[in-house]
Amino acid sequence: MKMSKLVKFTLVSLLTLGLMAYVIYAVFFLSGPDEEERCSAVELVVEKDDEASMFVDEKDIETILKNANMYPKGMLMRNVDTEKIEEVIKKNEFISKVECYKSANGKLCISAEQRVPVIFVIPDGKDGYFVDAQGNIIPNRNSATNLVVASGNIDEKYASKELAEFGKFLQMDDFWNNQIEQIYVTKNRKGKRVVELVPRVGDQIVYLGVLDDYGKKLRKLRKFYDRAIGTVGWKKYAQVNLEYDNQIICTKRK
């Protein structure tokens, strides 16, 4: 009886080991690419946020690789260098992340993510550009966008830090993302950059002052909208000043 159980245990163990060995073989050999066959297809996918501008599409990625003489279709799979392909694509300033790998049946898969802009900047006397959530500057390709536009006395350092953070804040809040249309930046008497906001609804200017504590300042403004605008209307005030703590200074329209 004991011998019979031992034999059964041994057989089960051998079968289990055999199954595991087959699974490993299937994963690495049967389902993997044949290095001696030619690349028959290239699957390109560019992922993007639904509301983001499309700076790069699959055709652009194909062109990038062809210009670098690295488009893999027709090449032997063993000669396809996935790491170099990723490096070439990553050099494009509109791309944030790339993954390239070989698949079965001679197919090469490339997945790329583009940078997501949070604000469009037009500095005085210079060409406009986009800024993403990480503060990266993205040249303008005349892509259609519903982003907030910031203009005025702006340099790249200010755009990639203060304005990028503010743009990200606005995008994360549905109300302010829909309400704020434009940001105008000037310098005050102390040489500090200060901000005015132009809303989509209403024609008053919202003076934010130095771009700090903007979450608190805009909460004050939201309360003001909820309590006062419903009573006096949008056209009564020419300017709403949020610069000072615990108060809102309104300038009546003449």
Side-chain angles (χ1 to χ4, degrees):
M1 188 72 176
K2 290 183 179 180
M3 182 61 69
S4 177
K5 287 184 178 181
L6 180 61
V7 170
K8 287 182 179 180
F9 177 78
T10 302
L11 288 174
V12 169
S13 299
L14 289 173
L15 287 171
T16 301
L17 289 172
L19 181 61
M20 290 176 63
Y22 176 77
V23 169
I24 293 172
Y25 172 79
V27 168
F28 286 98
F29 294 95
L30 296 184
S31 63
D34 182 351
E35 291 292 304
E36 296 306 315
E37 68 180 337
R38 294 191 179 274
C39 178
S40 59
V42 180
E43 183 179 283
L44 285 168
V45 177
V46 178
E47 300 175 7
K48 77 178 188 74
D49 187 279
D50 290 338
E51 298 180 358
S53 298
M54 192 68 175
F55 296 106
V56 180
D57 60 19
E58 288 76 10
K59 203 69 180 176
D60 293 319
I61 300 297
E62 182 178 323
T63 301
I64 288 170
L65 292 175
K66 286 181 177 178
N67 289 341
N69 294 319
M70 294 195 65
Y71 192 67
K73 192 171 182 179
M75 295 173 57
L76 286 173
M77 292 298 277
R78 60 182 165 83
N79 293 331
V80 176
D81 191 328
T82 56
E83 290 186 3
K84 283 188 177 180
I85 287 175
E86 289 179 355
E87 288 175 6
V88 168
I89 298 173
K90 282 179 183 177
K91 288 179 181 178
N92 185 280
E93 54 213 343
F94 302 100
I95 297 296
S96 62
K97 185 179 178 181
V98 183
E99 183 179 4
C100 177
Y101 60 92
K102 300 173 186 178
S103 185
N105 302 318
K107 185 169 71 172
L108 186 77
C109 301
I110 302 173
S111 176
E113 292 181 15
Q114 69 164 333
R115 299 191 186 281
V116 179
V118 294
I119 198 164
F120 184 68
V121 177
I122 308 176
D124 286 338
K126 296 182 179 180
D127 294 334
Y129 52 81
F130 294 92
V131 182
D132 71 5
Q134 288 71 45
N136 297 296
I137 304 296
I138 306 172
N140 180 23
R141 275 196 172 182
N142 297 320
S143 300
T145 179
N146 293 320
L147 293 175
V148 175
V149 176
S151 60
N153 192 317
I154 303 170
D155 58 22
E156 289 191 359
K157 182 179 179 181
Y158 185 77
S160 62
K161 188 175 180 182
E162 283 87 350
L163 287 179
E165 292 176 0
F166 188 51
K168 185 165 58 175
F169 171 85
L170 294 177
Q171 277 202 347
M172 292 176 65
D173 188 296
D174 289 338
F175 178 82
W176 293 118
N177 193 37
N178 292 320
Q179 174 66 357
I180 303 302
E181 182 175 31
Q182 189 169 356
I183 301 168
Y184 186 63
V185 182
T186 59
K187 283 189 176 182
N188 62 16
R189 294 178 181 178
K190 296 180 180 180
K192 292 184 177 181
R193 286 186 170 86
V194 291
V195 167
E196 293 178 345
L197 306 178
V198 179
R200 297 182 191 275
V201 180
D203 56 357
Q204 76 275 48
I205 299 299
V206 177
Y207 184 77
L208 208 61
V210 177
L211 201 55
D212 61 358
D213 293 330
Y214 44 78
K216 180 179 179 181
K217 291 174 181 177
L218 290 179
R219 282 194 295 272
K220 286 193 302 182
L221 182 60
R222 182 68 185 271
K223 289 180 181 179
F224 172 74
Y225 283 163
D226 292 341
R227 295 175 184 176
I229 295 300
T231 303
V232 302
W234 292 97
K235 296 184 178 180
K236 183 173 182 179
Y237 302 112
Q239 186 186 70
V240 178
N241 190 329
L242 304 173
E243 182 178 19
Y244 305 104
D245 288 338
N246 302 319
Q247 61 177 323
I248 295 176
I249 301 173
C250 298
T251 303
K252 290 184 179 179
R253 195 176 303 281
K254 294 181 181 180

